[in-house]
């Protein structure tokens, strides 16, 4: 791990992106390969190999999920945070994806809301991500202006709070999308290919900050792994024109009020997010996109709390 951090630091320094003069560890971490530890989730114990033989450690405050029963434990990390120790474990599982049928769920991701659905119905989920991220950004900026470098720890605390709050929203939303696909018998989830979206759009300084705080790719990754864990196919299609073209006749739409678009040719009038979802469903049929199979098994993490004295011993 030290070599990996040092190599990463050298690359950043050559590009002029290193903030420090030398690399350093942010956390105290011990990495464990799968042959250095074994988990017993029934007894809530972990066996860890040391130079003096194996020791058995009782796990505390862990959350046991039934889905981990048929998964294989891979590598793990013992992480020290202040005076507490955590065992972060990576589980893996081989999943066979379903054969694609003509039913799919399309997902249109926006900065403040996400629309998803199929030909049977479209739903709109208000994430309020823009407001949350802006509020935390302004709070950190006030701390920086008032305290300077003395407020670094306080800024980190609010940054972590922001991350956890957004991650919770993302996971709840991903669960809703996967559940809708299962209820409707869909075998495919369609996502937008948003590569280089920040480079393609010409925006002001304020918009620049907003777009760089928006973690749309993180949401897509969560939806992707939750879908594949259930055997659903994930397809990425080109997002160009999905919010500006009519899904019926293909004519460019005109604004007709707040977030409402109207087709001058056929008279269609709908919310722009609903139109985007309908266009994404059409693109899957038109381009005949193939599903994105996971590279290797699906992985998921799990965190356990362990007794510190059993890890650090007399030292």
């Amino acid at each position: 791990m030290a070599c990996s951090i040092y190599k990463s630091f050298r690359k950043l320094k050559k590009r002029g992106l290193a903030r420090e003069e030398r690399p350093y560890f942010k956390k105290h971490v011990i990495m464990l390969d799968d042959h250095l530890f074994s988990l017993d989730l029934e007894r809530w114990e972990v066996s860890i190999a040391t130079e003096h033989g194996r020791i058995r450690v009782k796990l505390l405050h862990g959350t046991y999920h039934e889905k981990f029963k048929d998964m294989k434990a891979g590598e793990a990390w013992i992480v020290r945070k202040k005076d507490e120790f955590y065992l972060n474990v990576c589980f893996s599982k081989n999943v066979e994806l379903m054969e694609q049928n003509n039913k799919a769920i399309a997902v249109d991701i926006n900065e403040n809301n996400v629309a998803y659905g199929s030909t049977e119905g479209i739903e709109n989920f208000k994430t309020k991500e823009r407001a949350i991220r802006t509020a935390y950004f302004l709070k950190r900026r006030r701390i920086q202006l008032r305290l300077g470098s003395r407020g670094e720890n306080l800024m980190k605390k609010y940054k972590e709070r922001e991350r956890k709050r957004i991650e919770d929203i993302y996971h709840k939303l991903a669960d809703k999308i996967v559940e809708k696909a299962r209820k409707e018998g869909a075998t495919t989830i369609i996502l937008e290919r948003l590569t280089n979206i920040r480079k393609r759009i010409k925006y002001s300084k304020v918009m620049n900050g907003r777009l760089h705080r928006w973690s749309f790719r993180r949401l897509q990754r969560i939806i992707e792994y939750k879908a594949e864990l259930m055997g659903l196919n994930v397809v990425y299609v080109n997002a160009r024109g999905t919010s500006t073209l009519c899904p019926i006749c293909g004519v460019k739409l005109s604004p007709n009020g707040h977030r409402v678009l109207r087709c001058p040719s056929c008279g269609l009038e709908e919310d722009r997010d609903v139109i985007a979802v309908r266009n994404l469903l059409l693109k899957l049929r038109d381009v005949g996109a193939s599903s994105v199979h996971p590279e290797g098994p699906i992985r998921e993490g799990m965190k356990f709390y362990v007794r510190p004295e059993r890890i650090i011993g007399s030292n």
Side-chain angles (χ1 to χ4, degrees), residues 41-168:
L41 294 180
E42 298 295 335
R43 296 183 179 180
W44 279 101
E45 288 183 345
V46 59
S47 174
I48 302 175
T50 70
E51 58 181 338
H52 302 296
R54 284 187 169 267
I55 60 171
R56 300 191 71 84
V57 181
K58 192 71 176 176
L59 301 171
L60 302 174
H61 307 307
T63 304
Y64 181 68
H65 299 283
E66 292 293 326
K67 61 184 175 184
F68 289 105
K69 278 188 174 181
D70 57 344
M71 291 190 181
K72 179 183 177 182
E75 55 191 13
W77 300 264
I78 299 175
V79 183
R80 180 180 180 179
K81 294 181 180 179
K82 296 182 179 179
D83 294 328
E84 295 183 334
F85 287 78
Y86 294 88
L87 180 69
N88 295 348
V89 184
C90 180
F91 291 86
S92 62
K93 177 183 180 181
N94 290 317
V95 177
E96 184 177 350
L97 299 181
M98 300 178 185
E99 185 177 349
Q100 294 187 37
N101 57 16
N102 58 351
K103 293 185 178 181
I105 299 293
V107 183
D108 175 56
I109 298 176
N110 298 284
E111 189 184 5
N112 220 31
N113 65 293
V114 175
Y116 62 94
S118 65
T119 53
E120 298 181 13
I122 298 172
E123 299 180 24
N124 204 320
F125 186 93
K126 300 291 184 182
T127 61
K128 299 180 181 179
E129 181 177 352
R130 182 175 64 192
I132 295 171
R133 290 198 181 277
T134 302
Y136 277 103
F137 167 73
L138 294 175
K139 187 175 292 187
R140 290 194 302 271
R141 190 169 67 175
R142 286 196 297 269
I143 294 171
Q144 187 178 27
L145 292 174
R146 190 174 300 174
L147 301 177
S149 59
R150 291 177 298 158
E152 184 177 353
N153 291 333
L154 191 59
M155 289 174 64
K156 286 181 179 179
K157 182 181 77 170
Y158 283 116
K159 182 68 176 177
E160 184 64 15
R161 283 186 184 179
E162 176 189 349
R163 186 191 67 80
K164 289 182 177 179
R165 190 170 172 184
I166 296 297
E167 287 269 315
D168 180 62

